Amino acid sequence: MRLHLSSEIVLNKVPEEFYAPKTAVERSEITRMEKVPTDIFPKAEEGARCIADAIVSEIKAKEQLGKYCVLGVGTGQSLTPVFQELISRYEKHEVSFRNVVVFNAYEYFPLTPGSQHSALFQLKERFLKKVDIPEQNIYSLDGTVSQEFVQQQCRLYEQRIQTFGGIDIMLLGIGRIGNIATNEPGSGLTSAARLILIDATSREEMTMSFGSQEPVPPCSITLGIADILQARKIYLTAWGEEKAEIIQKTVEGRISDAIPASFLQTHNDARVIIDLSAAGKLTRIIHPWLVTSCKWNDKLTRAALVWLCQVTGKPILKLTNKDYNENGLSELLALYGSAYNANIKIFNDLQHTITGWPGGKPNADDTYRPERAKPFPKRIIVFSPHPDDDVISMGGTIQRLVTQGHDLHVAYETSGNIAVGDEEVTRFMHFVNGFNQLFLDNKEETIKTMYADIKKFLAGKKEGDIDTPDVRTIKGLIRRGEARTACTYNKIPLDHVHFLDLPFYESGKIEKLPMTEKDVEIVRNLLKEVKPHEIFVAGDLADPHGTHRKCTDAVLAAIDLEKEADAKWLKDCRIWMYRGAWAEWEIENIEMCVPMSPEELRAKRNAILKHSSQMESAPFLGNDERLFWQRAEDRNRGTAKLYDDLGLASYEAMEAFVEYKPI
């Protein structure tokens, strides 16, 4: 069973020569915009193996010399694949860590003694306890000391590193704001080990490491930029499209303390190891025509013309031969013969992505339509990771599908209970208790007892405490009720509303359980029951807490199993990926775009507002202060403006989709 198919979604089918050039000459050509040597791998596992090779080689070389191999290590999620690869090699007896010394790159501050949320505790649990590194070879800054001793501790820590001859390999992840270790924006080139306030965005990212809702401590004691740059070799890792923008700024941008990772450009042996998704904004991937000759296809041509329109500020049909020549696209002129020919071709391609019939228009020529006319009506499943992603991401399209007579099912993949505030539970329990007193003559002892127990638990609940099963159940019921209300508003029959409650989500913590075959089988059973002609699935894999990716992996794995079983229904099914509150598809990748009128956009907002627990009180709004309905409207209006700027039809708002073809 293939459980990680989402990692193989590459929208533009990047030619291998762009990420794995065969010769040094080819590499120097396509990487000329990059100021740090950068290796791109199709999958994170392959990148992790590359780093593990270097670390194992260094360990063995030092062992032959009778010396310690000194590693500096962070604890971010990006390093997990590397840790797993090193553990695997140790278990296969390919390497021993007895001659390894580890220096932890940072520690949270302040901490209570024995805290399980210390960076060192996490590092031990994920890596150090699973290999044979001696306990006395593990060093870390101490987050439990009083603040007056922090500076003294930092100087002693730096001296201890030097007593071992300095760090041989520094292994780091990168935060979304360019922080390395916890050197936040503003950290200078000469910054030493010190106490630093953790940025709000970094704190949000670190909640995944904490694995619970307990807030990250406000500060950290971290090795400074100067300490990191003293390492003989540095590896910086990043996986996934959520890191693409900051990787581009780090690798291709100017050196600036606003992007602390950019200081790696000054190091003589720093290396960036990333997957294709994290490389998505590098010039050689997104704008390859600026660094090399291209083998042009329709999608690459569309990407180039959209870019050219943005550079020149012109709509497609006003681009001239001069515009092409002055911006490095003369190859396209040679291919198409003139700017006009290329312009009209891409204009028509984009025009054909727009449809008011997302389920296909019956009795119509569907040659140039994104969705086929038959069969009609279609059986459709919309998979929603949380009980509101459906309306946030494609509420206008759902309205169209229902209005146009399709047999629409909505499948809510997780309970979403962790995203409900305690005050919502209190409010609903007050209602249930009052209902009991008014209508049940106070005879329902079970409700009274549960009410008292929950009230007591919430009164004594501390930050980071995991909810009791009863509380989590009530929170799940709250979300179910809101989802049903929104579906009723959209005229979806309640027997077409499915709550899958995938087990991986039910950890009670931010960090979820691994997605397993059990999750996949739940999804697969629904697919076999409905036998859909059209599936909509979440494609916003940059969701900061990873739930969307796991949910999408479950759906894709279930489809993959049905493909292996040669299921007849799959032969007549199309799969569309939507995006939600966190990002939008790049216009060159959009294959279906559904317009909305002002009235339809307002109706979409009303459906989102039915999820009242996810408005102002939702705990995971992220670093974006806009509410979910505001994000959705801004995103949909932004997509419509892009089409308008390119000279196509002008709409109030648009929802965009990309087709997924089973691999």
Side-chain angles (χ1 to χ4, degrees):
M1 183 179 290
R2 297 193 289 176
L3 298 177
H4 303 288
L5 285 168
S6 66
S7 65
E8 299 185 31
I9 296 172
V10 180
L11 298 175
N12 274 327
K13 300 297 179 188
V14 180
E16 189 174 357
E17 59 265 26
F18 292 164
Y19 63 86
K22 291 180 173 58
T23 68
V25 173
E26 289 177 359
R27 182 179 181 88
S28 65
E29 181 181 23
I30 67 171
T31 62
R32 65 174 183 262
M33 298 286 194
E34 297 166 18
K35 302 168 186 175
V36 184
T38 302
D39 293 325
I40 304 170
F41 294 86
K43 298 180 184 178
E45 294 79 12
E46 295 178 35
R49 284 197 291 272
C50 172
I51 298 173
D53 286 343
I55 293 174
V56 169
S57 177
E58 184 73 15
I59 290 172
K60 291 180 176 179
K62 286 298 181 75
E63 189 175 34
Q64 289 183 348
L65 296 172
K67 294 182 178 180
Y68 287 115
C69 175
V70 184
L71 303 180
V73 183
T75 59
Q77 292 287 321
S78 297
L79 301 182
T80 300
V82 182
F83 293 157
Q84 291 172 342
E85 181 64 24
L86 290 171
I87 292 165
S88 173
R89 297 190 186 198
Y90 165 72
E91 291 173 343
K92 294 174 183 175
H93 306 291
E94 295 177 7
V95 66
S96 169
F97 291 82
R98 287 171 304 195
N99 71 315
V100 173
V101 174
V102 166
F103 283 92
N104 186 20
Y106 64 88
E107 185 54 274
Y108 299 116
F109 182 89
L111 291 172
T112 56
S115 171
Q116 293 190 356
H117 292 312
S118 74
L120 179 61
F121 179 85
Q122 295 164 34
L123 185 57
K124 286 182 175 180
E125 290 297 307
R126 293 179 187 172
F127 175 43
L128 300 178
K129 287 170 66 173
K130 298 177 182 179
V131 296
D132 62 342
I133 184 169
E135 182 70 27
Q136 66 269 21
N137 288 9
I138 300 170
Y139 295 92
S140 179
L141 294 152
D142 186 357
T144 67
V145 300
S146 60
Q147 190 166 344
E148 60 187 293
F149 293 116
V150 168
Q151 281 297 97
Q152 179 184 351
Q153 178 194 187
C154 289
R155 302 291 77 77
L156 290 172
Y157 197 62
E158 291 170 325
Q159 290 171 20
R160 177 60 60 88
I161 292 173
Q162 293 310 312
T163 63
F164 284 97
I167 292 172
D168 293 307
I169 297 178
M170 177 68 73
L171 183 57
L172 298 168
I174 182 173
R176 295 203 303 270
I177 54 174
N179 49 300
I180 47 176
T182 49
N183 289 280
E184 306 293 324
S187 299
L189 180 64
T190 59
S191 59
R194 68 206 184 282
L195 181 67
I196 190 169
L197 186 69
I198 301 175
D199 181 272
T201 302
S202 299
R203 284 164 59 82
E204 182 194 350
E205 284 188 278
M206 289 173 179
T207 57
M208 284 297 291
S209 298
F210 263 45
S212 76
Q213 294 182 68
E214 181 175 343
V216 174
C219 298
S220 168
I221 311 172
T222 183
L223 289 177
I225 299 293
D227 299 312
I228 290 170
L229 294 179
Q230 285 176 15
R232 281 179 277 281
K233 183 183 285 288
I234 301 172
Y235 284 100
L236 184 75
T237 67
W239 323 111
E241 61 188 56
E242 65 269 24
K243 295 295 178 66
E245 186 172 348
I246 196 62
I247 283 293
Q248 187 276 330
K249 291 177 180 177
T250 296
V251 171
E252 296 185 346
R254 64 184 183 86
I255 297 172
S256 167
D257 59 12
I259 308 287
S262 66
F263 288 118
L264 295 184
Q265 295 178 21
T266 67
H267 196 274
N268 62 6
D269 198 2
R271 202 159 204 89
V272 174
I273 306 291
I274 53 180
D275 63 2
L276 267 174
S277 296
K281 299 291 185 183
L282 293 179
T283 300
R284 59 167 145 154
I285 302 298
I286 194 170
H287 301 138
W289 54 85
L290 295 177
V291 293
T292 189
S293 295
C294 298
K295 295 176 183 176
W296 293 96
N297 55 33
D298 287 350
K299 219 164 205 184
L300 189 59
T301 303
R302 189 201 291 190
L305 262 66
V306 169
W307 169 82
L308 185 58
C309 288
Q310 292 168 341
V311 167
T312 61
K314 294 181 177 181
I316 290 176
L317 296 180
K318 288 189 178 182
L319 294 173
T320 65
N321 289 355
K322 183 180 178 183
D323 294 325
Y324 281 69
N325 283 321
E326 290 182 348
N327 290 282
L329 291 175
S330 56
E331 283 185 351
L332 280 178
L333 290 181
L335 183 65
Y336 283 91
S338 70
Y340 175 81
N341 292 339
N343 294 348
I344 200 70
K345 167 71 168 64
I346 299 306
F347 180 88
N348 287 334
D349 283 354
L350 285 168
Q351 184 69 44
H352 294 151
T353 65
I354 303 172
T355 180
W357 295 82
K361 187 173 184 179
N363 305 315
D365 180 2
D366 58 10
T367 305
Y368 297 111
R369 291 180 176 273
E371 185 52 83
R372 62 214 187 282
K374 295 179 179 179
F376 185 88
K378 291 181 175 67
R379 293 186 300 276
I380 299 170
I381 301 179
V382 175
F383 284 99
S384 178
H386 301 95
D388 59 354
D389 288 311
D390 56 330
V391 287
I392 289 172
S393 305
M394 52 175 292
T397 302
I398 287 173
Q399 294 169 39
R400 286 284 180 99
L401 292 169
V402 172
T403 302
Q404 290 166 1
H406 296 286
D407 186 21
L408 183 76
H409 295 251
V410 180
Y412 297 108
E413 294 172 88
T414 71
S415 67
N417 55 24
I418 198 172
V420 177
D422 293 342
E423 70 279 0
E424 293 290 325
V425 176
T426 302
R427 183 164 69 90
F428 276 86
M429 287 305 297
H430 281 325
F431 172 82
V432 171
N433 191 52
F435 184 91
N436 177 37
Q437 293 175 5
L438 288 171
F439 297 105
L440 298 180
D441 199 22
N442 221 18
K443 293 176 182 176
E444 193 59 63
E445 291 299 321
T446 302
I447 294 176
K448 287 179 63 179
T449 303
M450 182 180 290
Y451 178 74
D453 290 344
I454 290 174
K455 189 176 179 181
K456 181 180 178 181
F457 168 76
L458 294 179
K461 183 179 176 182
K462 298 182 179 64
E463 289 281 5
D465 286 350
I466 296 176
D467 287 330
T468 64
D470 284 343
V471 171
R472 293 208 302 272
T473 298
I474 291 170
K475 288 183 175 181
L477 286 173
I478 290 170
R479 303 232 37 197
R480 281 193 179 205
E482 293 170 346
R484 287 192 180 99
T485 301
C487 285
T488 300
Y489 176 81
N490 282 328
K491 298 181 174 56
I492 300 169
L494 292 182
D495 62 358
H496 280 38
V497 180
H498 309 272
F499 296 96
L500 304 186
D501 290 336
L502 297 186
F504 84 82
Y505 185 86
E506 298 304 321
S507 66
K509 302 183 291 185
I510 293 173
E511 189 173 15
K512 304 300 182 284
L513 302 169
M515 195 263 291
T516 68
E517 295 181 11
K518 188 174 180 181
D519 300 287
V520 176
E521 283 304 317
I522 293 171
V523 174
R524 189 181 183 189
N525 289 336
L526 180 63
L527 290 173
K528 289 194 288 189
E529 176 190 337
V530 177
K531 296 180 174 60
H533 302 107
E534 202 174 16
I535 294 171
F536 290 88
V537 64
D540 43 355
L541 306 179
D543 161 43
H545 295 119
T547 300
H548 285 209
R549 180 179 286 276
K550 286 188 176 181
C551 286
T552 296
D553 275 328
V555 177
L556 300 186
I559 290 169
D560 192 49
L561 290 175
E562 286 293 278
K563 182 182 176 184
E564 287 181 5
D566 201 27
K568 291 181 180 179
W569 68 266
L570 189 55
K571 293 180 174 62
D572 194 25
C573 180
R574 285 192 187 172
I575 303 150
W576 295 99
M577 298 185 293
Y578 60 76
R579 285 192 166 175
W582 309 103
E584 182 57 284
W585 298 116
E586 300 81 5
I587 192 167
E588 60 266 26
N589 292 317
I590 294 171
E591 292 171 294
M592 179 165 70
C593 212
V594 181
M596 287 181 283
S597 68
E599 291 77 17
E600 288 170 324
L601 185 62
R602 193 156 47 245
K604 172 176 176 171
R605 180 200 302 180
N606 290 340
I608 296 173
L609 292 174
K610 303 300 181 187
H611 297 269
S612 58
S613 71
Q614 301 305 293
M615 293 301 105
E616 287 86 347
S617 62
F620 300 126
L621 288 170
N623 209 37
D624 189 333
E625 294 183 356
R626 295 172 301 165
L627 300 177
F628 287 128
W629 68 266
Q630 293 170 318
R631 298 185 199 189
E633 288 193 6
D634 289 347
R635 180 173 57 86
N636 296 156
R637 286 194 174 107
T639 302
K641 185 177 186 303
L642 279 175
Y643 272 79
D644 187 21
D645 290 344
L646 292 172
L648 290 112
S650 179
Y651 293 99
E652 176 70 12
M654 303 176 90
E655 292 175 336
F657 303 87
V658 169
E659 186 178 1
Y660 172 82
K661 293 182 172 66
I663 299 168

